[in-house]
Amino acid sequence: MIDVIGKRYKILFLIGQGGMADVYLAQDLILSREVAIKILRQSLANDPMTLVRFQREASAASKLSHPNVVDIYDVGEADGYHYIVMEYIRGRTLKQLINQRGALDYHEAISIMKQLTSAIAKAHANHIIHRDIKPQNVLVKDDGTAKLTDFGIAIANDAVQLTYYNTVMGSAHYLAPETAQGKEPNEQIDIYSLGIVFYELLTGDVPFRGNTPTEIAIKHLREPLPYPRLFNPQIPQSVENIVIKASAKDVKERYEDAREMLYDLEHCLEAQYLNMPRIQLKHPTIDIIEIKDGAIRTNPIQKEVKPVDPKPNPHSLLLWGAGIVSSCLILCMILLVSGIVRFKGFLGYEEMPDLMHMQKEQAILALQNAHFQTDHIEWKEVVQDDIPAGEIYKTSIKPGSIVKDDAPLIVEISKGPSFMIQDYTGLYLEDVQRDLQQQGVELNMEIEYKGEPNTYPGVILEQSGLEPGDKIDPSAYETIRFVVSEYPTIIIPDTLIGMDVYEAKEYLNGEGIAVNLRKTSSSSSNKVISVTPKPGSSYTQEGTDSVVTLYY
């Protein structure tokens, strides 16, 4: 990575990483302000599809001027790097806010949603569909201002790559049902995502979870949205109605326009709306007829009409049923005692809760509420680029499994993003050490000093152990090796005596040694007759004030 992009933006340090680009904090050398600069990875710059998506993001966001959309300042390509320069927001993502605080007060949730819906209404007015609205793409400033970012779906590790009819879709937890069906996207897919984000703000969690993106997408297709007021009865019905209508599975029942949703957000707390009845939707059931390579094909369920059997003899049915019941009871007892069949709450078996995206304390409480013993848990912290620090992203027991309440359990928690090693050659060691310390990166530095002609001391000449582009755990104390310049030191050779003075000067200069010539007689001979310091002495070239003097 070069130090200055486009002869204007001085790279300070890495602040974020995605599937196709890295985001750096940079200094605008012309306007003297901090900016965020997103730089497409050079390994992807030759991929036409990736480049189009990157340019589409810049094009879409640059068309918008809105207080709740991150401003795009500049777009360009320099020295082989494609970049987008944008407003630098000091704050956190909305996802981080939810993880830290859980469900927000509905007044605060409405305030955030009004900002986001206003931004989306402006985008739709400019014929732009965001297609990846989620809390991870919303930055929240300390004063409560929300800023929407990441226009145009990027190739991200947390994006669902469900493809159907060549449609690329957004993140599974916020995915509109018609997108999973492969239908042509329109503005209403953004409205559905806004509804799910509103649900998460009010309840502290997403409505549907699953082990795979496809499983979550199917739940969006099939399962009705849980009512937010079941989690918090204090939420006014008028507020819950906005969530219900925005996240309706049938687009005919959903808000048709973001401005319509914004109007309801602005008026939902007025007295005449607070106690209105709950909206009743049809919640159509959709039959999944094929799932192949992540693609979902659906049809409405066609219920089969079966012929009515003649009325059976009640006495024979009774005897037959009693025999079946007795046999089943005996079989069930055998299976239960052997452990082949397990029931929640019976013989020490419990249902494993879903701990995904919880903090450690929340997970312990969830396990205790599910009647699990928590002294058998092994907690592992692992670097994860796309999972916020402190958030659970993997468990050794699948959620929903019926297991013993004291079963060994490994829970993996994100330590936050990895750190990408840069090319430090040519930089001053002191500057690199300071920058790494500011970023919280702990490295074991093995330093070898080497005298280097025509080079200031302290410059990194060589780097090994960790190469540019390597991703590491910033707290793992991994080893990096540097060869660092220092003032050159030589032993004054006795072969200088009798050598042509200009040849001797050229030799010493090649070793990085400054030379002063002194003629001692009118003789035409240019032979060196003496040297200061004397031959055999150790001499270090310290700046421009020290010299070796050749007398001839």
Side-chain angles (χ1 to χ4, degrees):
M1 174 59 62
I2 58 178
D3 292 333
V4 178
I5 296 287
K7 299 181 180 180
R8 174 172 179 176
Y9 305 104
K10 179 176 175 57
I11 302 298
L12 300 179
F13 53 82
L14 185 72
I15 58 176
Q17 294 178 313
M20 72 171 186
D22 298 316
V23 182
Y24 296 86
L25 179 64
Q27 182 74 19
D28 186 334
L29 300 177
I30 295 178
L31 298 179
S32 298
R33 64 180 177 184
E34 288 183 331
V35 296
I37 182 166
K38 177 181 286 190
I39 301 176
L40 181 67
R41 298 218 179 95
Q42 284 193 298
S43 59
L44 298 174
N46 294 325
D47 178 12
M49 185 60 70
T50 301
L51 190 56
V52 166
R53 287 175 180 162
F54 188 76
Q55 292 168 341
R56 181 176 65 193
E57 176 181 352
S59 174
S62 63
K63 293 177 182 177
L64 299 178
S65 177
H66 190 278
N68 300 113
V69 174
V70 172
D71 287 333
I72 300 295
Y73 296 144
D74 190 12
V75 179
E77 186 269 334
D79 301 313
Y81 293 95
H82 295 267
Y83 62 87
I84 304 172
V85 182
M86 62 189 77
E87 177 184 7
Y88 174 57
I89 305 296
R90 291 187 179 275
R92 50 192 165 176
T93 68
L94 186 55
K95 188 68 173 182
Q96 290 171 328
L97 182 66
I98 296 170
N99 288 337
Q100 292 165 1
R101 293 175 48 190
L104 305 187
D105 175 80
Y106 66 83
H107 293 89
E108 186 176 2
I110 291 171
S111 173
I112 291 173
M113 288 306 302
K114 285 195 290 188
Q115 297 179 67
L116 297 182
T117 307
S118 175
I120 288 300
K122 179 64 178 290
H124 290 178
N126 284 272
H127 310 291
I128 296 169
I129 304 172
H130 190 287
R131 299 207 299 163
D132 197 17
I133 298 170
K134 56 186 176 181
Q136 294 91 328
N137 285 342
V138 178
L139 301 172
V140 182
K141 298 171 67 174
D142 294 336
D143 64 1
T145 302
K147 293 269 192 175
L148 187 61
T149 187
D150 279 358
F151 278 79
I153 293 178
I155 303 174
N157 291 334
D158 60 355
V160 183
Q161 296 304 313
L162 296 174
T163 56
Y164 190 57
Y165 301 139
N166 297 320
T167 301
V168 180
M169 297 176 288
S171 300
H173 289 296
Y174 311 90
L175 185 70
E178 64 270 22
T179 312
Q181 294 173 269
K183 294 181 179 178
E184 189 70 24
N186 64 13
E187 288 82 356
Q188 285 180 289
I189 67 171
D190 283 348
I191 293 173
Y192 184 91
S193 299
L194 287 171
I196 302 301
V197 171
F198 199 9
Y199 178 98
E200 188 174 0
L201 288 173
L202 294 171
T203 66
D205 200 0
V206 291
F208 304 117
R209 289 193 175 277
N211 296 316
T212 65
T214 302
E215 184 179 334
I216 298 168
I218 290 172
K219 289 183 178 181
H220 278 279
L221 282 162
R222 281 186 164 175
E223 297 185 9
L225 192 82
Y227 294 126
R229 296 188 78 233
L230 295 177
F231 299 90
N232 181 5
Q234 301 302 315
I235 299 171
Q237 186 59 59
S238 57
V239 175
E240 184 186 72
N241 283 349
I242 297 175
V243 177
I244 294 172
K245 187 170 183 179
S247 55
K249 299 183 188 303
D250 188 344
V251 293
K252 296 177 182 177
E253 297 181 294
R254 197 182 306 162
Y255 287 110
E256 186 176 353
D257 191 290
R259 292 171 297 181
E260 181 185 359
M261 182 178 176
L262 180 59
Y263 178 88
D264 282 0
L265 286 165
E266 291 172 339
H267 297 278
C268 62
L269 297 183
E270 295 176 5
Q272 64 267 35
Y273 297 110
L274 283 175
N275 298 314
M276 62 194 308
R278 174 178 283 159
I279 293 177
Q280 298 298 321
L281 300 179
K282 296 177 182 178
H283 294 308
T285 304
I286 300 173
D287 183 26
I288 310 297
I289 62 173
E290 182 182 15
I291 302 173
K292 184 177 181 181
D293 297 329
I296 301 173
R297 291 181 57 207
T298 63
N299 264 344
I301 287 178
Q302 301 291 334
K303 292 190 177 180
E304 181 182 354
V305 179
K306 295 183 178 180
V308 179
D309 293 332
K311 188 174 182 180
N313 186 318
H315 298 290
S316 60
L317 271 180
L318 183 63
L319 292 173
W320 179 78
I324 293 295
V325 169
S326 299
S327 300
C328 288
L329 287 174
I330 294 170
L331 179 61
C332 286
M333 289 302 297
I334 294 172
L335 294 175
L336 285 169
V337 173
S338 65
I340 297 174
V341 173
R342 307 168 183 178
F343 286 112
K344 174 183 175 183
F346 190 77
L347 296 178
Y349 286 97
E350 300 294 345
E351 182 179 349
M352 180 66 188
D354 188 354
L355 307 181
M356 296 303 102
H357 305 290
M358 289 186 182
Q359 303 289 315
K360 182 176 180 179
E361 295 76 13
Q362 295 172 317
I364 292 173
L365 181 61
L367 288 165
Q368 291 173 343
N369 289 340
H371 310 294
F372 277 86
Q373 299 180 34
T374 55
D375 54 352
H376 293 76
I377 303 174
E378 179 183 350
W379 303 93
K380 286 186 176 181
E381 291 190 340
V382 182
V383 164
Q384 284 292 315
D385 287 336
D386 301 303
I387 308 295
E391 191 173 292
I392 293 171
Y393 72 94
K394 186 178 181 182
T395 57
S396 60
I397 299 176
K398 181 180 177 182
S401 301
I402 306 298
V403 295
K404 278 284 192 180
D405 58 8
D406 60 351
L409 173 63
I410 301 174
V411 179
E412 297 190 22
I413 302 176
S414 170
K415 294 179 69 173
S418 59
F419 176 79
M420 184 182 293
I421 296 295
Q422 306 298 310
D423 183 357
Y424 301 115
T425 56
L427 303 179
Y428 282 99
L429 176 64
E430 182 180 352
D431 293 340
V432 172
Q433 290 173 323
R434 183 181 63 252
D435 289 345
L436 292 173
Q437 183 179 13
Q438 289 175 349
Q439 296 178 70
V441 181
E442 299 178 0
L443 289 178
N444 174 35
M445 292 189 182
E446 294 184 357
I447 301 171
E448 174 189 344
Y449 287 95
K450 174 184 177 184
E452 185 72 7
N454 307 314
T455 303
Y456 286 108
V459 174
I460 297 173
L461 304 173
E462 299 175 24
Q463 172 181 332
S464 59
L466 294 174
E467 301 298 330
D470 288 350
K471 288 187 176 182
I472 64 165
D473 179 344
S475 61
Y477 209 63
E478 295 200 33
T479 298
I480 189 169
R481 300 176 187 86
F482 291 137
V483 176
V484 179
S485 66
E486 63 178 358
Y487 286 121
T489 299
I490 67 168
I491 302 298
I492 303 294
D494 54 12
T495 54
L496 294 176
I497 305 300
M499 184 183 294
D500 180 85
V501 68
Y502 296 105
E503 291 181 4
K505 179 177 182 297
E506 183 178 357
Y507 165 76
L508 292 171
N509 288 163
E511 296 294 321
I513 306 302
V515 177
N516 184 29
L517 303 181
R518 289 283 182 89
K519 191 172 181 65
T520 60
S521 70
S522 59
S523 170
S524 61
S525 173
N526 289 332
K527 302 295 183 183
V528 176
I529 58 175
S530 65
V531 182
T532 303
K534 64 182 180 180
S537 302
S538 176
Y539 173 80
T540 298
Q541 180 64 50
E542 298 181 352
T544 58
D545 294 334
S546 60
V547 294
V548 170
T549 303
L550 300 177
Y551 298 91
Y552 67 100

